[in-house]
Amino acid sequence: MDIRHLNYFLEVARQKSFTKAAQALYITQPSISKTVKNLEEELGVTLLDRYGKKVELTDAGEVFARQAQEIVNSFHNLSSELDDLMHLKKGHIRIGLPPMIGASFFPKVIGEFYKQYPNITIQLFEDGGKKVEKDVVSGALDIGVTVLPTDDSLLDGYIFVTESLKVVLHPTHPLAGEEEIHLSALREDAFILFREDFTLHDRIIGACQKAGYQPRIIYESAQWDLISNMVAAGLGVALMPETICRELDVEEVCILPLHERIPWELGMVWRKDRYQSFAVREWIAFTEPMLKKANDEPLC
């Protein structure tokens, strides 16, 4: 029994005739008669009372017709739902974003996406890059933004920002007048870092260790504006991506190049071996060209 067989039976019930049903369905009468006969044999009941050229539903046929119609309606609804998805009329996307980059890149991108696909909903989860990557791998998120590189055996993605970190100092810091700063020159300073669930946390500590010292960390935060405010209050120094530095008030903090290049590459990533919904695949195609303009044309 399949949906085609149910449609054949329902058409016979509507027409009360095998001949008229066959004509309406553009099939031969023997084919439709055989299909109905097979249904009766499969179910073990008589569905149609045949007399002459007329047919009527039996009691069992009435029950079967009601249920068959519901099944056919559900199938048509399913087909419509899938058609909507394929044409991107609806869907849901779970996206992970580090808090430090959400405000800088995504308000305009999400706004433009909603204009084109108003029935696709987006649920944002703010976490550090390490947690975002872990949740994409586990399937808790459909897609995520994180600092590269990631495990390319599990994840696909694209890069949309390639930058370096800069030093953020209080304007009265002794090094504030330099053209660039060597990381070793910050040996005696207190550091304000992103939390340990951010990729930059370990990357900055590793760079300091490579420069010959263990950084003295006085505070960790998930919020870049809080970190910059603490620097502005003279509590320590910070290393921040160029994109974030463009958001800072240069009257409150001094931003200088770092001699040692600490790379900061942002990427959109998704699980390599997992089926991606139509909405997610369209998000990827829609956002890639927009986000790759981010370095030259900030989207905030």
Side-chain angles (χ1 to χ4, degrees):
M1 185 189 308
D2 61 28
I3 200 71
R4 177 171 53 90
H5 297 156
L6 298 182
N7 277 318
Y8 287 2
F9 170 79
L10 290 171
E11 192 61 32
V12 173
R14 278 191 291 269
Q15 299 288 349
K16 296 186 176 182
S17 166
F18 284 96
T19 301
K20 291 180 179 179
Q23 291 171 348
L25 295 169
Y26 300 100
I27 60 174
T28 65
Q29 183 175 330
S31 294
I32 202 168
S33 297
K34 183 178 179 181
T35 296
V36 173
K37 184 66 175 176
N38 289 340
L39 281 176
E40 291 178 320
E41 291 177 353
E42 183 177 346
L43 295 169
V45 294
T46 300
L47 299 174
L48 296 172
D49 185 10
R50 302 158 176 85
Y51 55 96
K53 293 184 178 181
K54 289 282 188 177
V55 296
E56 293 286 348
L57 290 170
T58 64
D59 290 344
E62 292 278 1
V63 172
F64 183 75
R66 287 196 300 271
Q67 295 297 324
Q69 190 62 64
E70 290 185 14
I71 293 170
V72 169
N73 289 344
S74 295
F75 181 82
H76 288 160
N77 289 339
L78 174 62
S79 297
S80 296
E81 292 273 348
L82 291 175
D83 186 64
D84 283 348
L85 284 172
M86 291 179 70
H87 291 88
L88 304 164
K89 297 175 184 175
K90 60 173 60 176
H92 183 71
I93 310 172
R94 300 165 301 168
I95 303 176
L97 292 176
M100 63 186 291
I101 61 97
S104 298
F105 294 101
F106 282 88
K108 184 176 180 180
V109 173
I110 292 174
E112 292 297 320
F113 187 79
Y114 270 133
K115 287 180 185 177
Q116 190 159 340
Y117 309 111
N119 294 321
I120 293 180
T121 57
I122 296 176
Q123 189 175 9
L124 297 178
F125 297 84
E126 288 191 307
D127 280 302
K130 291 181 183 177
K131 179 70 161 50
V132 169
E133 181 178 348
K134 179 181 178 182
D135 286 348
V136 172
V137 169
S138 71
L141 294 173
D142 299 306
I143 199 163
V145 174
T146 188
V147 178
L148 303 178
T150 58
D151 186 349
D152 59 9
S153 69
L154 296 174
L155 297 173
D156 272 334
Y158 62 82
I159 299 172
F160 61 89
V161 171
T162 300
E163 296 181 346
S164 298
L165 300 189
K166 289 193 172 184
V167 183
V168 183
L169 308 166
H170 190 274
T172 62
H173 192 284
L175 300 175
E178 300 293 322
E179 291 187 3
E180 69 173 15
I181 294 178
H182 289 258
L183 199 54
S184 59
L186 302 175
R187 181 186 302 271
E188 302 302 324
D189 285 276
F191 278 75
I192 305 167
L193 297 186
F194 291 101
R195 286 189 327 220
E196 63 180 9
D197 57 329
F198 285 71
T199 306
L200 282 182
H201 179 276
D202 293 347
R203 193 163 292 180
I204 291 171
I205 291 175
C208 290
Q209 291 172 339
K210 189 175 180 179
Y213 64 97
Q214 184 71 24
R216 180 166 59 91
I217 302 167
I218 64 164
Y219 192 77
E220 297 177 357
S221 173
Q223 304 298 325
W224 62 264
D225 51 348
L226 178 57
I227 292 175
S228 66
N229 286 338
M230 294 186 74
V231 174
L235 299 177
V237 302
L239 302 180
M240 306 183 81
E242 296 172 48
T243 293
I244 302 303
C245 289
R246 288 198 289 265
E247 305 290 329
L248 305 183
D249 188 342
V250 293
E251 294 185 359
E252 294 187 354
V253 295
C254 177
I255 303 166
L256 294 172
L258 184 64
H259 177 76
E260 298 87 351
R261 184 178 184 274
I262 303 178
W264 189 68
E265 290 187 330
L266 276 184
M268 187 83 68
V269 297
W270 53 92
R271 181 67 186 254
K272 180 177 290 188
D273 58 355
R274 182 172 290 122
Y275 169 78
Q276 301 297 340
S277 71
F278 297 107
V280 169
R281 280 151 48 191
E282 184 59 20
W283 166 267
I284 293 168
F286 184 89
T287 59
E288 184 171 1
M290 292 187 70
L291 288 173
K292 284 185 175 179
K293 297 178 182 177
N295 276 333
D296 300 323
E297 300 175 21
L299 295 169
C300 57

